[in-house]
Amino acid sequence: MKINNKFMNFMVLFSLSFLITSISQSYTLIDSEAYGDWESEYANYNCYAFAINRTEIPPEFDTLKQYQPGDFSNQSISMSDSIFTIANVVKDDLEELSYSNINVSTNYFSGYDYTIVVRKGNDDYHFMKLSTDNNRYHKPGFTQVLRYKYQPSNSRIWTNEYIDENGVAHVGSIEYDSTIYYISYDNMHEHNYSYEYRPIDKKYHYSYCECGFKIKSGHVVTGSPNSHGEYNCLLCGGLAEIGFAIIDPISLNNEYVFDFTFVAPNGVLYLSVNDYKKFIDSTLKIPEEYSAFWEVI
């Protein structure tokens, strides 16, 4: 009797599927255990988002991509990058998120508000985070949150074994065997960029926060040049060709006048004496319709 080929193919696929399901149901996690119960939002974020506590759905991504190292610092990584490179890209992300005292090391250091651990394999990376109660938690992809049973060690390979939304454990298919890097950091704080200034060129200087984080900002100058016809920045002391200027606006051909503070045709923002004082103590608020006309540097 001739058996229909389509029927035979179906039976083979059905048997294979049943075998795989049976193996999965009988598997018990080796290195981790389930932490709590399944939550529907677990399907929305990956191990990196879980580690750095950014579990919202990113507006510019979908749940198939989620946050990757470098997304916050406008960088991208490749699996050909070293684990050292990936760890330092994460450091840049944390700086952009305003965390402070960030330390990257192959050794664990206590005393920080947060510590996460990163490791990579040939085709993937994985993160864990250490808790204050000395536990290790991680989340393989979009699966159940797990508690790792061991202290992170280079001598013990990690895998991506996981528990799905139905509570079924699955054997890992990826191994992470690189050197382990610890990334430790302290809580966010509101930066105050008046701690120190260092000139870059005649247009910009770096403004430093006490925590060491810096931004690039424009020079602040008076309306009068020095004896060489040059301007000196009031903040960093460097030579400046463009920046904020404090002069008497009444004597000039003004544009975009606002309370004796205006933007000249050359794009320089000129501040009145009163507004200069507000600028120095960070209380100056220029309406958006005026600030739109001047170059933000």
Side-chain angles (χ1 to χ4, degrees):
M1 184 174 96
K2 187 180 290 186
I3 299 177
N4 186 287
N5 286 335
K6 290 186 177 180
F7 177 76
M8 284 297 295
N9 290 338
F10 170 78
M11 290 302 296
V12 169
L13 291 174
F14 176 80
S15 299
L16 181 60
S17 174
F18 178 78
L19 177 62
I20 293 173
T21 302
S22 299
I23 293 174
S24 297
Q25 289 177 338
S26 62
Y27 179 74
T28 301
L29 296 185
I30 296 174
D31 294 330
S32 299
E33 60 188 9
Y35 178 69
D37 298 319
W38 171 263
E39 302 286 347
S40 59
E41 61 264 26
Y42 286 165
N44 295 334
Y45 56 91
N46 60 4
C47 68
Y48 183 46
F50 173 72
I52 63 174
N53 301 314
R54 294 299 297 257
T55 58
E56 77 279 3
I57 298 177
E60 65 270 40
F61 303 129
D62 59 33
T63 56
L64 296 179
K65 180 179 186 299
Q66 259 295 328
Y67 287 127
Q68 309 295 328
D71 281 345
F72 298 97
S73 55
N74 195 29
Q75 302 178 72
S76 61
I77 63 167
S78 165
M79 290 317 301
S80 62
D81 291 334
S82 69
I83 187 62
F84 173 79
T85 297
I86 293 174
N88 279 278
V89 168
V90 173
K91 178 179 183 291
D92 292 341
D93 277 354
L94 294 171
E95 286 183 342
E96 289 297 324
L97 292 170
S98 295
Y99 288 103
S100 61
N101 301 325
I102 304 166
N103 179 63
V104 176
S105 176
T106 55
N107 298 311
Y108 169 69
F109 292 98
S110 61
Y112 287 88
D113 293 327
Y114 308 100
T115 296
I116 60 178
V117 188
V118 62
R119 204 175 191 185
K120 62 167 284 193
N122 290 330
D123 303 311
D124 195 17
Y125 60 80
H126 192 55
F127 286 87
M128 292 185 186
K129 63 179 176 180
L130 310 186
S131 69
T132 55
D133 59 359
N134 200 33
N135 279 307
R136 288 74 51 194
Y137 299 99
H138 64 120
K139 186 177 181 295
F142 308 120
T143 67
Q144 170 79 39
V145 173
L146 305 176
R147 187 184 72 83
Y148 189 61
K149 297 178 181 179
Y150 307 95
Q151 291 290 346
S153 169
N154 291 321
S155 63
R156 190 178 188 91
I157 294 174
W158 298 355
T159 74
N160 68 327
E161 62 175 2
Y162 67 96
I163 295 178
D164 65 24
E165 67 273 19
N166 297 313
V168 177
H170 296 260
V171 64
S173 59
I174 301 175
E175 291 187 343
Y176 308 95
D177 56 2
S178 74
T179 299
I180 291 173
Y181 270 83
Y182 295 85
I183 307 168
S184 302
Y185 53 102
D186 287 333
N187 275 313
M188 300 179 185
H189 72 280
E190 186 174 350
H191 293 300
N192 181 349
Y193 295 107
S194 60
Y195 178 72
E196 184 182 2
Y197 304 93
R198 297 180 186 175
I200 301 173
D201 53 30
K202 292 186 177 182
K203 187 174 182 180
Y204 299 109
H205 58 230
Y206 284 126
S207 300
Y208 284 82
C209 179
E210 189 175 17
C211 71
F213 195 66
K214 67 179 185 293
I215 59 171
K216 187 167 71 171
S217 56
H219 292 304
V220 177
V221 300
T222 64
S224 302
N226 60 24
S227 59
H228 301 287
E230 300 168 324
Y231 291 91
N232 288 102
C233 177
L234 299 176
L235 298 178
C236 72
L239 293 178
E241 290 181 345
I242 187 171
F244 299 106
I246 300 87
I247 63 171
D248 176 12
I250 299 176
S251 61
L252 295 178
N253 182 18
N254 304 344
E255 288 189 11
Y256 320 129
V257 175
F258 173 68
D259 191 27
F260 297 110
T261 289
F262 68 96
V263 180
N266 64 357
V268 176
L269 175 66
Y270 289 86
L271 299 178
S272 67
V273 173
N274 288 335
D275 282 345
Y276 169 64
K277 294 177 181 177
K278 295 178 183 178
F279 170 76
I280 292 300
D281 62 18
S282 301
T283 61
L284 177 65
K285 302 294 182 183
I286 299 178
E288 184 176 350
E289 61 267 28
Y290 292 96
S291 62
F293 290 103
W294 55 279
E295 181 182 10
V296 177
I297 59 175

